Amino acid sequence: QILLKESGGGSVQTGGSLRLSCVASGATYNRRCMGWFHQAPGQERDGIASIFDGVSPWYDKSVKGRLIISQDNAKNTMYLQINDLKSEDSGIYYCAAASCTQNIGSWGLLRSAYTYWGQGTQVTVSS
């Protein structure tokens, strides 16, 4: 069992930056795949970035170049840096995790890849 808790959301202006955090607790000793998902109002929850065991990041092409996913294993924390925020970035950001034995590459952007989910953190971008 892995428990996930996101933080770092808030209200920001267009063009600004945010860094979201996701702290994992519980069975964190396993190698794991982790991902960030974005759910805009009335939309599906879409994968935007993933990382395997702290390396090998993958990004959805729609956000590539503006996002940086990273992981600090010593702190059991995953981060998502979002730069040049746009209004369409508004929504709830969820982190997800699964025990993995190998890098799952682009599969890490799929909801079905994950077993554990956080409650989400709200981001609102306005001009």
Side-chain angles (χ1 to χ4, degrees):
Q1 178 86 5
I2 298 175
L3 301 177
L4 303 171
K5 175 66 175 175
E6 304 93 338
S7 63
S11 296
V12 293
Q13 290 191 322
T14 304
S17 298
L18 271 181
R19 190 175 79 156
L20 307 180
S21 300
C22 172
V23 178
S25 60
T28 57
Y29 48 83
N30 293 326
R31 303 181 76 184
R32 48 185 190 274
C33 301
M34 298 192 74
W36 284 100
F37 287 73
H38 170 237
Q39 188 167 19
Q43 302 296 317
E44 296 283 321
R45 190 179 302 188
D46 295 323
I48 54 176
S50 67
I51 194 165
F52 168 66
D53 212 29
V55 297
S56 304
W58 277 85
Y59 300 97
D60 182 77
K61 59 185 178 181
S62 67
V63 295
K64 195 171 183 178
R66 296 195 296 120
L67 269 58
I68 301 173
I69 187 172
S70 60
Q71 190 171 345
D72 184 336
N73 288 332
K75 297 181 179 179
N76 286 321
T77 302
M78 176 177 65
Y79 303 97
L80 184 70
Q81 176 77 27
I82 313 174
N83 299 317
D84 189 24
L85 280 156
K86 306 176 186 300
S87 58
E88 54 263 40
D89 293 323
S90 295
I92 302 175
Y93 286 77
Y94 298 90
C95 70
S99 295
C100 289
T101 57
Q102 62 184 22
N103 188 354
I104 60 175
S106 60
W107 287 84
L109 299 181
L110 301 178
R111 284 176 290 176
S112 58
Y114 297 99
T115 308
Y116 307 102
W117 292 85
Q119 295 296 308
T121 185
Q122 175 75 45
V123 172
T124 302
V125 184
S126 58
S127 57

